[in-house]
């Protein structure tokens, strides 16, 4: 379908570094995007480096940790310093690193809040504080067991 012009780009989801290496070794069309769970507790640094090197855009899902990261003290402190909401801090954390976000909400007020991510940025201090949250925790599921 890609070669017939019916698809402009191909994306994959929940690929680990090993899955991606295996795919790149065999595919004719490398993926344009990889969608994985990504947030300060699961920053996916190794995968992010690999994607950078291979021109694959990393896109985060569960940026809010399925809602559970909104109450973290670190996120709250950064939100207070920035005069933003915890959700905006978590989404901006991804954008700051060039990672795309796709927050889901059925609430119009939250949808508007989640779109206010431009014209401001996190400081080095903010990024360091959020960076210390890394504990490799999945809130959705861990695809590393898929062979
Ligand atoms: N590729 C995959 O395997 C995969 C896996 C999981 C998810 N996804 C996709 O990723 C997208 C987002 O992921 P997700 O929904 O799991 O997680 P998420 O974006 O981390 O969290 C969404 C939850 O947070 C709430 N929320 C959203 N904005 C908020 C805000 N500003 N303040 C407070 N709460 C807020 C939402 O509730 P309300 O709706 O009530 O606002 C919803 O329950 C979805 O479109 C989903 O389809 C993909």
């Amino acid at each position: 379908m890609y070669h017939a012009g019916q698809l402009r780009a191909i994306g994959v989801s929940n690929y680990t570094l090993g899955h991606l290496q295996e795919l790149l070794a065999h595919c004719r069309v490398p993926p344009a995007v990889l969608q994985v769970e990504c947030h300060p507790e699961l920053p996916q640094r190794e995968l992010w480096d690999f994607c950078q090197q291979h021109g694959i855009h990393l896109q985060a899902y569960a940026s809010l940790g399925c809602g559970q990261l909104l109450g973290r003290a670190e996120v709250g402190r950064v939100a207070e310093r920035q005069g933003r909401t915890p959700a905006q801090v978590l989404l901006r954390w991804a954008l700051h690193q060039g990672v795309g976000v796709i927050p889901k909400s059925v609430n119009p007020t939250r949808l508007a809040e989640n779109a206010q991510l431009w014209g401001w940025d996190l400081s080095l201090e903010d990024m360091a504080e959020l960076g210390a949250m890394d504990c490799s925790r999945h809130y959705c599921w861990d695809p590393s067991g898929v062979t």
Side-chain angles (χ1 to χ4, degrees):
M1 291 177 80
Y2 179 85
H3 289 300
Q6 293 171 320
L7 295 179
R8 276 192 297 166
I10 295 174
V12 292
S13 184
N14 293 311
Y15 272 46
T16 62
L17 181 58
H19 295 145
L20 214 46
Q21 285 168 328
E22 194 180 330
L23 176 67
L24 291 184
H26 296 99
C27 68
R28 282 189 296 151
V29 184
V33 59
L34 168 63
Q35 187 184 107
V36 289
E37 180 172 348
C38 183
H39 44 67
E41 290 191 355
L42 184 68
Q44 305 274 18
R45 293 207 174 93
E46 210 181 4
L47 201 50
W48 186 88
D49 282 344
F50 186 86
C51 285
Q52 286 275 103
Q53 285 160 23
H54 291 83
I56 301 169
H57 178 71
L58 195 70
Q59 185 180 70
Y61 73 71
S63 292
L64 313 180
C66 300
Q68 304 220 48
L69 294 176
L70 295 167
R72 290 283 182 278
E74 298 91 330
V75 177
R77 278 195 294 274
V78 173
E80 203 171 314
R81 276 204 296 275
Q82 287 288 346
R84 303 283 167 178
T85 67
Q88 289 170 333
V89 165
L90 289 163
L91 295 169
R92 188 66 223 176
W93 170 88
L95 296 180
H96 184 92
Q97 304 166 84
V99 174
V101 290
I102 49 166
K104 166 261 161 191
S105 179
V106 296
N107 177 314
T109 306
R110 288 176 174 169
L111 282 172
E113 174 189 333
N114 294 348
Q116 303 300 311
L117 303 175
W118 311 106
W120 64 282
D121 206 354
L122 299 173
S123 67
L124 285 176
E125 181 191 5
D126 298 334
M127 288 304 285
E129 186 154 10
L130 297 171
M133 292 172 67
D134 181 3
C135 58
S136 301
R137 181 177 294 143
H138 291 261
Y139 287 96
C140 201
W141 71 291
D142 181 357
S144 61
V146 177
T147 52

